[in-house]
Amino acid sequence: MASANGDKVEFGFNTVPMTKQKKDWIHLSLRVVAFLATASATIVMATNKQTKSFAVATIGTTPIRATLTAKFSHTPAFVFFVVANGNASLHNLVMITMDILGTKLDCKGLRLALIAILDLMVVTLASAGDGAATFMSELGKNGNSHARWNKICDKFEPYCNRGGIALITSFIGNILLLIITVMSIIKLLKLNRINHVAP
Amino acid sequence: MAKARRICHLLFRFLAFSATLASVIVMTTSHERTSFLTLSIEAKYTISPAFKYFVIAYSIVTVYGFLVLFLPRESLLWRLVVALDLVFTMLLISSISAALAIAYVGKKGNNHAGWLPICDQVSKFCDRVTGALAAGFAAVIIYIVLLLHSIHTVLDPLLLRKP
């Protein structure tokens, strides 16, 4: 990108120095809330466990009891949910840290583009985890008469309730992540108006 | 050069449109009826809400993909295309994730919940659902690439264009 008379040319990446920009408190506070939402969804689902003993048969007067456990790791969809939300909360944590502590880091001018792209990736991952877990919970709650799969929520009600809470918090985190992504992309748009490639 | 880029872009969008269309068609035409012992199972995509969500989401994106193919080059609507690409990619990936979760239970069962796999009885239905999900995955990957490309073209985050 050298000009015709051999002058040194600068790329126009982020030529506004980062220290002069006002801190975006709305963006930061949305990220904090999204981090709390996704982290709590991860933790609630990961500690979701219920053990219950049933009487399966009766010999004479003594019932035979079998103990059944419901854990989140029995279902691959919930494992994916935990992993995706863990990823999303880690991403939010890193972004918050970068915003508070590392405002001078410019990554060769690519900082805003990198933040936008990473936000995009994380929001898609989080929505995938949400989708899978929603329909697995629906299957557990209603069963499927055509495939002869019985519902399990009537027997393991606290397990189902906790899973539902984790899902709701994850949805809130997902919506907030979408808003954050849109804001990050809008920041890119604003930047284009200010900086030009120096000829 | 610009014309070649435009043709390449249109080709990619057409590929995404055809992948979503293929997965919708394969999923809706998967229909099998078997009977064993005294029970008869009829397997269609409507047996599971996840498959219904999959079909609905992919048909919406098929219509969107078809409309974007006809957008003229210098239109102001390309910014809307960036936003809609993001929203529709999220929709696609959420629906395919849901359908995959249910299809996994159908194929492998779930010992802990006492759910038996149904793929042994309705193997043709299972194969068609697998095909629809594979086409759906290809569509998701192409849409993610298209999303990144839209942002690069319309918003120019790396500031590579002269004003």
Side-chain angles (χ1 to χ4, degrees), chain A residues 68-71 73-75 152 156, chain B residues 109-115:
Chain A
L68 291 174
T69 315
K71 279 202 281 202
S73 52
H74 289 167
T75 316
I152 63 169
F156 289 96
Chain B
N110 194 327
N111 286 336
H112 306 276
W115 294 335

Side-chain angles (χ1 to χ4, degrees), chain A residues 12-13 74 76 80 110 120 124 127-128 131-132 135-136 138 144 146 148-150 178 185 188-189 192-193 196-197, chain B residues 39 47 49-50 53 79 86 89-90 93-94 97-98 102 104-106 112 115-116 118 151 155-159 163:
Chain A
F13 302 163
H74 289 167
F80 181 45
L110 290 176
L120 283 174
T124 30
S127 52
F135 283 94
M136 273 318 273
E138 195 271 341
N144 194 325
H146 304 274
R148 295 189 171 55
W149 293 331
N150 299 324
L178 181 61
I185 295 180
L188 281 174
L189 206 65
N192 273 340
R193 300 278 172 271
H196 307 288
V197 174
Chain B
L39 307 159
I47 63 173
Y53 176 42
R79 305 236 185 111
L86 174 62
T89 303
M90 273 178 75
I93 204 168
S94 143
S97 180
I102 303 293
Y104 181 89
V105 175
H112 306 276
W115 294 335
L116 299 170
I118 62 168
I151 291 191
L155 295 181
D156 197 20
L158 305 177
L159 287 167

Side-chain angles (χ1 to χ4, degrees), chain B residues 75-123:
Chain B
S75 159
L76 284 178
L77 284 177
W78 280 106
R79 305 236 185 111
L80 189 64
V81 166
V82 173
L84 285 179
D85 259 349
L86 174 62
V87 170
F88 284 132
T89 303
M90 273 178 75
L91 185 67
L92 281 190
I93 204 168
S94 143
S95 60
I96 196 162
S97 180
L100 201 58
I102 303 293
Y104 181 89
V105 175
K107 195 170 179 71
K108 303 265 176 75
N110 194 327
N111 286 336
H112 306 276
W115 294 335
L116 299 170
I118 62 168
C119 265
D120 318 323
Q121 281 105 41
V122 282
S123 51

